[in-house]
Amino acid sequence: MAPPTELLARPERGSAPGSRAMGRLVAVGLLGIALALLGERLLALRNRLKASREVESVDLPHCHLIKGIEAGSEDIDILPNGLAFFSVGLKFPGLHSFAPDKPGGILMMDLKEEKPRARELRISRGFDLASFNPHGISTFIDNDDTVYLFVVNHPEFKNTVEIFKFEEAENSLLHLKTVKHELLPSVNDITAVGPAHFYATNDHYFSDPFLKYLETYLNLHWANVVYYSPNEVKVVAEGFDSANGINISPDDKYIYVADILAHEIHVLEKHTNMNLTQLKVLELDTLVDNLSIDPSSGDIWVGCHPNGQKLFVYDPNNPPSSEVLRIQNILSEKPTVTTVYANNGSVLQGSSVASVYDGKLLIGTLYHRALYCEL
């Protein structure tokens, strides 16, 4: 006969399997919820990337690839005198590159020449050319006609904004300043509004690559727009999925921001204190990248990615396509959106920018070639 203490303990031992079973049911339930959430987020990400979208070709008759641009021209900005600046050679972890060991640079093309060609600009001594990794660019012309070039730079995949003075007589860039700030953790594009003043987009809230991926996957909408001046730095717009291209209207009243994964262009009113107030959102059916403004008409020209999955998961047998949109009268109730150019990747892969000047169109790409067209 067992001692009384053993007899008392037996019911407790008998109930343990039921407790373990309940614990397992809870664990399986939680796992199922987690898997369902992950599946829903994955499906949502595919939709944001337009992963199943294909484009029908829209050709332009008078186009040719620009010699000397073989590994991307992510952004382009054109001065009123027809000098075009190209940001070339962008590299990011996990992003395809046709020249992974070659530093980036700034090229220039004179669109007033009969046969324009791209030339690399010399950069002043003391600037670290080996780690130059240019992204978005913007120009500013001061009252004394000094031309400043602002360049988003990712040296060793960090985030800075470089300010240069353009010296036209020498076809060179004089480096003036490097801007770093905690409110600029993941800078994508920039629009200059003064000799040391700019708006910039952060395409992510975090700078760490894993946290960036998690932020994108969970669709947190933490990306923002920052205003920078030597005296003040502040967030002026937020709540974007992935804030990308940015530009300013010809009358300096409005800021345009492309939210690439939300397929939207935001129109924001600029105030005297440089704060921004959202006026409207234009929804599109493509991943909108950089925005360029036709100064004569105010039209917005957009370099777009019809299928983001092809862009980030590169397959030479099924390359990323290209698309250029022209948006007229964006402030009206019904803006006119026209597909000016589209290609399945057979000519141009991953268009990121389209800029116009005097009947000429330049189309740049994230990591491929660049196209010159006469409209």
Side-chain angles (χ1 to χ4, degrees), residues 124-314:
S124 58
R125 292 181 180 180
F127 182 75
D128 186 1
L129 294 173
S131 66
F132 193 32
N133 191 12
H135 199 165
I137 61 175
S138 179
T139 55
F140 179 80
I141 303 175
D142 212 348
N143 294 330
D144 61 0
D145 293 330
T146 300
V147 176
Y148 297 93
L149 179 69
F150 293 66
V151 182
V152 175
N153 186 23
H154 303 291
E156 299 175 349
F157 307 123
K158 297 175 184 177
N159 291 270
T160 67
V161 173
E162 312 294 347
I163 304 177
F164 298 93
K165 176 184 176 183
F166 173 53
E167 299 185 322
E168 186 174 354
E170 292 81 22
N171 279 340
S172 66
L173 295 171
L174 175 65
H175 185 246
L176 302 177
K177 184 179 182 179
T178 296
V179 175
K180 301 178 184 178
H181 197 276
E182 61 182 5
L183 291 181
L184 299 170
S186 185
V187 192
N188 185 297
D189 196 18
I190 187 169
T191 189
V193 293
H197 312 66
F198 58 83
Y199 289 98
T201 55
N202 285 305
D203 52 26
H204 292 81
Y205 178 82
F206 297 107
S207 57
D208 178 80
F210 174 75
L211 292 178
K212 281 186 175 185
Y213 175 79
L214 197 62
E215 180 184 344
T216 298
Y217 189 81
L218 295 177
N219 196 12
L220 296 179
H221 282 257
W222 286 358
N224 59 34
V225 176
V226 169
Y227 170 72
Y228 175 92
S229 75
N231 301 319
E232 182 181 31
V233 186
K234 57 185 178 180
V235 174
V236 290
E238 52 192 341
F240 299 96
D241 188 342
S242 183
N244 201 288
I246 186 170
N247 218 315
I248 189 168
S249 62
D251 60 9
D252 293 338
K253 292 182 178 179
Y254 305 101
I255 296 292
Y256 306 127
V257 177
D259 193 338
I260 187 167
L261 290 178
H263 325 128
E264 297 171 343
I265 295 177
H266 294 245
V267 180
L268 304 110
E269 184 177 4
K270 181 169 74 72
H271 302 288
T272 53
N273 62 1
M274 309 311 283
N275 288 341
L276 302 177
T277 302
Q278 182 163 288
L279 288 183
K280 67 178 296 184
V281 177
L282 178 64
E283 297 180 356
L284 299 163
D285 189 37
T286 188
L287 281 71
V288 285
D289 202 323
N290 288 311
L291 309 175
S292 298
I293 311 300
D294 183 342
S296 60
S297 65
D299 295 348
I300 303 175
W301 290 73
V302 193
C304 304
H305 307 289
N307 185 319
Q309 180 162 300
K310 290 184 181 183
L311 185 72
F312 297 115
V313 184
Y314 186 77

